[in-house]
Amino acid sequence: QVHLVESGGGLVQPGGSLRLSCVASVSGYTLDSSPIAWFRQAPGKEREGISCISDVDGSIYYADSVKGRFTISRDKAKTTVYLQMNSLKPEDTAVYYCVSNLCTAQAIGPEFLVDEWGQGTQVTVSS
């Protein structure tokens, strides 16, 4: 079974940037036939869907909380989905997860459609 694996988290100062990566657990496995979404969960808060990219038409969605600061993209080899995070704020501190889920330009599919959650990658924004 192929799993999605997140990486790229870390500690960054407010205003800084990080780029998260999402790849399949099988080397070279392409993600171009999978809609990929990024969720995050901050301590004591519910999990939040923040961005996704469709496999059908390339539609992209951003939650208002990250719009204008985060950018989701696929690499040319279609093996990686990136989440470029700029102008980071302390409230962006969370564990970030990538999953396969429905995606349109207006919304990410609901959490109950997600078959499997990975370990996530911790992003901490602090001075």
Side-chain angles (χ1 to χ4, degrees):
Q1 186 177 359
V2 178
H3 309 281
L4 295 178
V5 180
E6 310 91 345
S7 64
L11 173 63
V12 63
Q13 292 188 340
S17 298
L18 282 174
R19 188 176 74 166
L20 305 184
S21 298
C22 174
V23 299
S25 57
V26 175
S27 178
Y29 188 90
T30 59
L31 299 179
D32 55 331
S33 61
S34 301
I36 300 296
W38 285 95
F39 284 75
R40 68 183 181 185
Q41 188 165 25
K45 294 189 176 181
E46 293 187 354
R47 196 149 41 196
E48 173 191 16
I50 57 171
S51 184
C52 67
I53 184 165
S54 168
D55 59 327
V56 176
D57 58 5
S59 294
I60 287 175
Y61 165 84
Y62 297 106
D64 288 343
S65 57
V66 304
K67 196 174 295 182
R69 301 186 299 122
F70 290 11
T71 303
I72 191 170
S73 63
R74 298 183 186 269
D75 71 331
K76 290 183 178 180
K78 309 298 184 184
T79 60
T80 307
V81 172
Y82 298 109
L83 186 67
Q84 177 68 42
M85 307 187 298
N86 298 329
S87 302
L88 283 162
K89 306 174 181 179
E91 50 264 44
D92 294 318
T93 296
V95 178
Y96 285 70
Y97 304 89
C98 71
V99 296
S100 181
N101 201 354
L102 296 179
C103 177
T104 71
Q106 291 75 40
I108 298 172
E111 285 189 43
F112 69 80
L113 292 179
V114 177
D115 290 331
E116 180 183 15
W117 295 89
Q119 300 222 349
T121 186
Q122 175 71 48
V123 171
T124 302
V125 185
S126 174
S127 55

